[in-house]
Amino acid sequence: MRIVVDVMGGDHGCEVVIEGVKIALHACNKISGLCLVGDEAQIRAAMTEARLQDDRVKIVHATEVLTMEDKPLDVLRKKKDCSMARALELVKQGQGDAMISRGNTGGLMAAATVKLRPLENVERPAIATVLPTPQKYFLLLDAGANAECRPLHLAQFAIMGSVYSREILGNANPRVGILSNGKEEMKGNDLTREAVELCRQLDLNFLGYVEGHDLFEDQVDVVVSDGFIGNIVLKTCESMGKAIRVMLETELTRNPLRKFGAALAYGGLRSIKRRMNADNYGGAPLLGLNGTVIKAHGSARALAIKNAIRVGTETIQHSINRLITQEIARAKERLATGAKHGFRGRTCSITAVGSYVPEKILTNADLERMVDTSDEWITTRTGIKQRRIAAANEHTSHMAAKAALRAMAKGGISPEQIDLIIVATITPDMPFPATACLVQQQIGAYRAAAFDIEAACSGFIYALEIGQQFIMSRTYDTVLVIGAEKLSAIVDWTDRNTCVLFGDGSGAAILQSRPKAHGLLTACMGADGNKADLLSMPGGGCRCPATADSVSARLHFLRMEGKETFKNAVNAMYTAAQESLRRCELCISRIKCVIPHQANQRIIEAVGERLGAKPEQVFVNLDRYGNTSAASVAIALDEAVESGRIQRGDLILLMVFGAGLTWGAAVIEW
């Protein structure tokens, strides 16, 4: 490999650079050529003094030097023949594989970015600095190249740092964190909060936020920040190291007894000094450039130059730029998927599901003894064979709480973690208080807010979308969504057209933001109040309060216009499903599992056929439970997961239709 060294610049003249080059050439036989760029007369004089005679070395004369006082852009505008510019030009022309410089940091970054250009898809290069901890090291980036950053820049710094830490520092699965003023999600600023959400979508061992006191406790391997904060951290660490050294020297030489103790501890003190000596770490790579550039400290001496060359050779040997390009490309694809699905920030996933159905089974044969019907008539027209019926003392809140507890157990969620409870139901225990409040009491989630929504069979998807907004806005971290119904309480058991259709049950889902997952990709909801009379319960509200007349007129039971409901159900669910797929730029063949509202087998088949879904894609449990309204897709989702039909990473389509008229669909990455 061929190394190019900018000999000029820095605090100590070119003599220390030549001495460092000599040591590096002696230590590494893999260097096939080394080009020294700068004032030829000074370089030759320094080589003579250092007795450097090596056939691998050649000199390229440069007439100018970019000093520490020069502005960064002077390297491109006023001092085009400075040693830094000439050295970078050699790398650009393919005459060198890596370039080392201890010159003006801003000038080096500006010239390297313009001359070498960033790697494909890399937005901004970053300076990566290795800092020692009591046991090992951590990598800090950006350490000063980019004072102002966007969230994507920090996400890319995290990727580049992870690659470097893995390949050069030997961390098999580097722990990556974004530096902030606290670990809580509400800490940080808009930049760090958005960057955290991007990093959670990437294939990183991402910790989230890390604080200043985490850096030297071996809790993180890659620390990400913008260049402004990163440079402050770096300079503070350097200053603190010098201050500690001065304090030790002062205190350990204050009297003979301390001097004697220092002599006894000499070996340990020397080891600490060696670990804290920046010269042993050489230089900081400028990651993300289409070429290898190593920035040595301005005060670097021979040992630091030698190690900066070592860092350059290791970076080349491990193909860091090729690996960064591959990882950035994968990240771009993953983030593009998230953006395509409409994500702007924090994602929301279903992290656990649970369901409950009553013990009592009411079969079609049982119904034959109650109304003028038959198993053959019910099965051919609906696909239902049986349904579950709650006991007289088993209410909607009881079933909802049981489903919630099962979901919480599966997800390892304690009652104290739940921030919000949303119950979708048209059969509340009572008009008020909300059934969600009763559930809160039964599961012991006393710190949670709670409310109900009423969207009939569409309620669960409506509740999912509402819960998602609370998660994505960071208002809450854990939302419990429940669909629960005791429809047996509002079914007219003398009406053979409706009593055969419905059953009781509940399903629950835990919503949280899950790292590296997109979760709920989109939800599409709709309503048409012009068709409210197709499916309704006229009595019981302020329009028709309970009276002897309303009860005798059976106004407190469910009523349905069957044919019109069927037609509207097919059209509405198909339209909602198509819109959800369109938003995600997905075709139905990409969906692993389609879970429609379990109302009628003919409706399910008609919608599936219009969507082009294969029968094996569609999950159906209608035959065992009938129509459980808001609980329908929730119960089916839980059973699909439990049966293995749904695996991590699968795409799922939920679609519903209910009274109102209401409808909705959702696409979920499991």
Side-chain angles (χ1 to χ4, degrees):
M1 62 191 71
R2 301 158 301 168
I3 307 298
V4 180
V5 179
D6 170 18
V7 178
M8 315 309 289
D11 300 336
H12 300 301
C14 66
E15 293 80 10
V16 297
V17 178
I18 300 303
E19 185 63 35
V21 166
K22 179 182 177 181
I23 300 171
L25 286 170
H26 179 73
C28 183
N29 58 14
K30 293 184 179 180
I31 299 174
S32 59
L34 195 146
C35 183
L36 303 173
V37 184
D39 183 279
E40 185 172 359
Q42 293 186 44
I43 293 173
R44 290 196 180 280
M47 288 178 64
T48 299
E49 183 179 341
R51 298 181 180 179
L52 173 58
Q53 295 179 340
D54 195 303
D55 294 338
R56 293 175 289 177
V57 176
K58 73 173 185 176
I59 300 171
V60 172
H61 180 63
T63 61
E64 297 176 299
V65 178
L66 188 73
T67 68
M68 296 299 182
E69 290 72 33
D70 287 326
K71 295 179 180 179
L73 291 180
D74 286 350
V75 67
L76 299 170
R77 296 174 178 173
K78 297 181 179 180
K79 294 188 173 182
K80 297 181 179 180
D81 195 48
C82 69
S83 57
M84 182 183 291
R86 292 293 302 275
L88 286 168
E89 194 66 32
L90 291 173
V91 175
K92 178 182 178 180
Q93 293 171 358
Q95 298 180 46
D97 300 307
M99 180 267 199
I100 317 297
S101 176
R102 56 181 182 153
N104 186 309
T105 302
L108 180 62
M109 177 58 74
T113 302
V114 171
K115 290 181 177 294
L116 302 182
R117 311 302 297 172
L119 292 168
E120 185 178 2
N121 295 318
V122 171
E123 295 271 329
R124 297 264 187 95
I127 298 175
T129 301
V130 176
L131 293 172
T133 67
Q135 300 299 325
K136 45 194 301 190
Y137 318 93
F138 72 87
L139 188 70
L140 171 70
L141 73 167
D142 180 22
N146 305 281
E148 296 183 1
C149 292
R150 292 187 285 110
L152 181 59
H153 299 155
L154 297 192
Q156 291 193 343
F157 296 168
I159 296 166
M160 296 190 293
S162 182
V163 170
Y164 191 85
S165 179
R166 183 183 70 231
E167 298 297 324
I168 303 299
L169 302 182
N171 295 305
N173 190 23
R175 300 162 296 175
V176 181
I178 291 180
L179 189 61
S180 183
N181 61 334
K183 292 184 178 180
E184 299 84 359
E185 290 199 1
M186 70 284 297
K187 294 295 181 70
N189 54 28
D190 289 343
L191 169 64
T192 59
R193 283 191 288 267
E194 291 187 38
V196 163
E197 298 310 325
L198 291 178
C199 288
R200 282 177 172 159
Q201 299 178 50
L202 303 176
D203 189 19
L204 296 170
N205 183 10
F206 186 62
L207 305 178
Y209 284 146
V210 293
E211 300 180 71
H213 63 70
D214 296 324
L215 305 188
F216 298 96
E217 295 182 357
D218 295 310
Q219 295 186 18
V220 60
D221 301 308
V222 179
V223 178
V224 176
S225 75
D226 60 56
F228 181 80
I229 299 298
N231 193 253
I232 291 174
V233 171
L234 175 61
K235 296 293 176 60
T236 301
C237 290
E238 291 176 346
S239 177
M240 181 62 73
K242 292 177 182 177
I244 291 173
R245 186 178 69 243
V246 171
M247 286 188 284
L248 284 172
E249 290 174 352
T250 300
E251 295 300 324
L252 293 176
T253 58
R254 193 173 291 278
N255 58 53
L257 183 60
R258 290 187 180 181
K259 288 181 180 179
F260 179 70
L264 293 176
Y266 177 75
L269 293 172
R270 187 175 183 181
S271 296
I272 293 173
K273 182 179 179 180
R274 188 182 301 114
R275 283 185 62 79
M276 295 181 67
N277 184 359
D279 288 353
N280 287 316
Y281 303 97
L286 274 61
L287 298 179
L289 288 170
N290 190 22
T292 299
V293 178
I294 309 299
K295 172 65 176 75
H297 200 283
S299 61
R301 295 186 179 274
L303 179 61
I305 297 300
K306 175 257 183 185
N307 282 313
I309 294 172
R310 172 186 56 78
V311 171
T313 59
E314 289 176 346
T315 302
I316 297 167
Q317 287 175 318
H318 287 265
S319 303
I320 295 298
N321 286 347
R322 177 179 60 81
L323 294 173
I324 286 176
T325 301
Q326 292 173 351
E327 295 292 338
I328 291 290
R330 279 195 283 268
K332 181 181 179 182
E333 181 179 352
R334 191 171 183 87
L335 292 176
T337 301
K340 178 175 68 177
H341 292 152
F343 287 115
R344 296 295 184 269
R346 197 185 198 198
T347 59
C348 175
S349 293
I350 297 176
T351 57
V353 287
S355 63
Y356 169 80
V357 292
E359 291 184 10
K360 181 180 178 181
I361 297 174
L362 186 68
T363 66
N364 291 347
D366 295 327
L367 286 169
E368 289 177 350
R369 294 188 288 272
M370 297 169 60
V371 292
D372 182 16
T373 190
S374 68
D375 173 60
E376 188 273 336
W377 187 90
I378 298 171
T379 303
T380 56
R381 285 165 175 76
T382 70
I384 301 169
K385 300 295 290 185
Q386 62 185 41
R387 67 285 298 146
R388 299 297 181 99
I389 304 297
N393 62 348
E394 188 174 33
H395 310 309
T396 297
S397 66
H398 298 147
M399 293 187 286
K402 290 177 180 177
L405 289 171
R406 290 178 179 179
M408 292 161 61
K410 292 178 185 178
I413 303 297
S414 67
E416 293 77 19
Q417 287 178 263
I418 297 174
D419 301 306
L420 174 65
I421 302 170
I422 307 173
V423 174
T425 185
I426 56 171
T427 56
D429 286 22
M430 59 191 85
F432 64 89
T435 299
C437 294
L438 305 180
V439 172
Q440 182 221 50
Q441 184 272 328
Q442 292 176 43
I443 67 174
Y446 295 114
R447 59 177 294 274
F451 63 84
D452 293 352
I453 68 163
E454 185 180 318
C457 304
S458 305
F460 186 72
I461 283 183
Y462 272 54
L464 283 180
E465 176 64 4
I466 294 169
Q468 176 180 233
Q469 302 307 316
F470 281 106
I471 296 291
M472 294 181 69
S473 67
R474 294 184 175 83
T475 304
Y476 295 126
D477 294 321
T478 304
V479 176
L480 172 60
V481 171
I482 306 170
E485 303 285 13
K486 187 177 179 179
L487 295 170
S488 59
I490 62 169
V491 164
D492 185 348
W493 292 103
T494 66
D495 179 10
R496 76 166 196 159
N497 293 313
T498 56
C499 74
V500 301
L501 302 176
F502 300 99
D504 303 332
S506 60
I510 303 291
L511 303 186
Q512 293 176 306
S513 182
R514 189 180 73 200
K516 303 180 184 179
H518 293 130
L520 274 73
L521 305 183
T522 192
C524 173
M525 301 183 297
D528 183 0
N530 292 316
K531 298 174 181 176
D533 291 339
L534 293 184
L535 188 57
S536 66
M537 189 179 77
C542 65
R543 177 190 289 187
C544 183
T547 65
D549 290 340
S550 68
V551 172
S552 65
R554 311 189 75 78
L555 299 181
H556 300 275
F557 294 125
L558 182 152
R559 294 186 175 186
M560 182 174 69
E561 299 292 334
K563 292 183 179 179
E564 284 299 309
T565 299
F566 181 101
K567 181 174 67 176
N568 282 279
V570 173
N571 290 335
M573 283 203 291
Y574 169 76
T575 301
Q578 283 289 78
E579 174 60 18
S580 296
L581 293 172
R582 185 197 64 79
R583 290 181 185 180
C584 298
E585 298 183 17
L586 293 171
C587 58
I588 192 65
S589 62
R590 293 281 308 280
I591 301 298
K592 176 66 179 298
C593 187
V594 179
I595 302 180
H597 173 47
Q598 308 290 306
N600 183 293
Q601 184 65 37
R602 292 187 297 168
I603 293 176
I604 292 172
E605 291 174 353
V607 176
E609 188 175 314
R610 287 186 64 179
L611 286 172
K614 297 178 181 178
E616 57 267 25
Q617 288 178 272
V618 183
F619 186 88
V620 179
N621 63 1
L622 170 71
D623 57 317
R624 291 179 286 121
Y625 303 122
N627 182 350
T628 54
S629 187
S632 168
V633 292
I635 295 171
L637 179 61
D638 180 44
E639 289 200 343
V641 173
E642 286 297 302
S643 67
R645 283 281 297 273
I646 296 173
Q647 301 292 328
R648 188 74 170 260
D650 287 346
L651 293 174
I652 306 159
L653 173 64
L654 309 181
M655 49 186 180
V656 293
F657 171 87
L661 296 176
T662 58
W663 57 85
V667 178
I668 302 168
E669 180 190 63
W670 196 249

